[in-house]
Amino acid sequence: MTAPPELRDTTVLAINPMQPDSSLIEQAAAILRHGGLVAFPTETVYGLGADATDENAVDRIFVAKGRPSTDPIIVHIAALNQLEQVALDIPQLAYQLAERFWAGALTMILKRAPTIPPNVSATLPTVAVRMPSHPVAHALIAAAGTPVAAPSANTFSRPSATTTQHVLDDLSGRINMILDGGSTPIGVESTVLDLTGQVPVVLRPGGVSLEALREIIPDLQLKSKYLGTDTLAVSPGQLIKHYSPRAEMCLYADEHAGNAMIAAAYERLAHGQRVGVLLLNSETTLWQSLNVILEALGDTLEEAAARLFAALRSLDSQGVDVIFAHGYERDGLGAAIWDRLVRAAEGRVIV
Ligand code: TXA
Ligand code: MG
């Protein structure tokens, strides 16, 4: 393997997200083939890509993100025939799920093939695989001619990046290139489904809903500290810090917690704190008379998912001391949103 391109600055190439220019894609693909790092838009969040078959390139991802080597990375493919290149003993169910949900926001955990070096999977015998639908991601992986290992393109434990500016804020000067295809449409990461155990288990709710998965897997299990009633029994110290804003999060479980939140916000303001609030458009009038920074997430769960990480980052950059937020419905994308909110709050939920 030749030496990776020298890392001086991060090149940003603006690219049409619907019809990506093939000469721009080729520039990015060449960097991947030489062991470099390229951030690119997917339909969920921006990914930070490296050649998944190149152990040294994958190591560079961990370094750039400050990610512990114990946290495994998803391998992205452009065509179904690449699945056999990265995974072994693929069950029939995986093909059924691929037929229904690929290309798209579903990641499947399978047995790892020897072409994928152990550091991709933090030495686990398994590999997480996803075929993204975003035209830029698809074109890049196809042009690279290799599966692409890509975690979310953020510094470890920060909210995932949904715009090029977010990627630059975290990784400028640490990666070779960003393909700027604008905002990522879904805004939360893929659903991670483990197919290597006795029963299929969702490890992370995401862009494909649990309800949709249950149509194919009626006995689907969910392994989440965050979605059951046991959420509140978990001590924050046991939780991984993830998706965290720098500010303290005050997360209310009840979607009708508006009045309690306003009372608590008054108290913070009286103590001279800067207060940020995450809410739906319909809730903004309640808060208008308070001297708080409002981040309206839109009218629907789809809009809220798309704006969530940008809103957390925006409040952080405005230097708020505390962020107030509450839960929404837990159906559909609501499960993924609630999971991200609880993680941002490091497991502390107010009932
Ligand atoms: O939507 C997404 O999934 C984005 C885009 C870029 O594809 N990627 C993403 O990657 O969110 P990352 O690294 O931020 O999250 C990957 C998740 C982690 O929770 C990781 O622990 C889990 O997938 N994972 C990866 N490989 C695994 C494996 N072999 N076994 C269990 N979990 C795995
Ligand atoms: Mg991530």
Side-chain angles (χ1 to χ4, degrees), residues 95-326:
Y95 290 103
Q96 245 179 295
L97 291 164
E99 168 91 29
R100 168 77 193 272
F101 297 108
W102 279 0
L106 177 68
T107 295
M108 293 191 249
I109 299 187
L110 300 163
K111 218 163 124 182
R112 178 165 54 87
T115 40
I116 300 301
N119 64 344
V120 169
S121 297
T123 74
L124 293 167
T126 57
V127 63
V129 192
R130 174 162 111 77
M131 188 194 296
S133 64
H134 195 293
V136 172
H138 176 83
L140 176 65
I141 301 160
T146 180
V148 173
S152 50
N154 52 280
T155 303
F156 181 67
S157 94
R158 294 274 298 143
S160 293
T162 56
T163 66
T164 289
Q165 189 56 52
H166 299 158
V167 181
L168 281 171
D169 289 344
D170 284 14
L171 300 172
S172 181
R174 305 175 71 84
I175 63 178
N176 301 97
M177 182 178 279
I178 306 173
L179 289 176
D180 179 3
S183 299
T184 55
I186 296 177
V188 291
E189 304 86 342
S190 63
T191 301
V192 178
L193 175 65
D194 187 354
L195 296 179
T196 63
Q198 298 285 351
V199 288
V201 183
V202 168
L203 302 181
R204 177 179 74 182
V208 167
S209 73
L210 303 173
E211 293 84 350
L213 285 175
R214 284 201 183 99
E215 287 172 19
I216 293 182
I217 316 169
D219 62 342
L220 182 74
Q221 304 286 303
L222 172 64
K223 188 173 152 197
S224 169
K225 301 188 186 89
Y226 311 112
L227 292 173
T229 44
D230 54 336
T231 297
L232 309 169
V234 179
S235 94
Q238 287 177 272
L239 293 167
I240 311 168
K241 195 170 146 64
H242 222 121
Y243 308 109
S244 308
R246 297 188 181 92
E248 177 192 353
M249 277 283 286
C250 284
L251 176 60
Y252 289 70
D254 180 0
E255 69 174 296
H256 306 290
N259 288 332
M261 288 166 70
I262 286 175
Y266 260 118
E267 216 164 285
R268 298 301 187 111
L269 291 168
H271 284 87
Q273 292 195 353
R274 267 170 91 77
V275 175
V277 188
L278 291 180
L279 67 198
L280 294 177
N281 290 351
S282 58
E283 302 169 300
T284 51
T285 41
L286 268 180
W287 290 82
Q288 231 115 55
S289 62
L290 273 78
N291 184 22
V292 298
I293 300 168
L294 297 180
E295 282 290 338
L297 297 174
D299 293 310
T300 63
L301 287 180
E302 282 69 30
E303 289 173 5
R307 295 181 192 177
L308 180 63
F309 291 136
L312 288 171
R313 283 173 175 266
S314 164
L315 289 174
D316 258 348
S317 68
Q318 295 177 77
V320 301
D321 299 296
V322 56
I323 298 171
F324 284 89
H326 65 71

Side-chain angles (χ1 to χ4, degrees), residues 205-206 210-211 227 301 329-340:
L210 303 173
E211 293 84 350
L227 292 173
L301 287 180
E329 316 144 37
R330 313 266 165 97
D331 301 338
L333 266 183
I337 293 172
W338 179 245
D339 173 88
R340 305 312 184 268

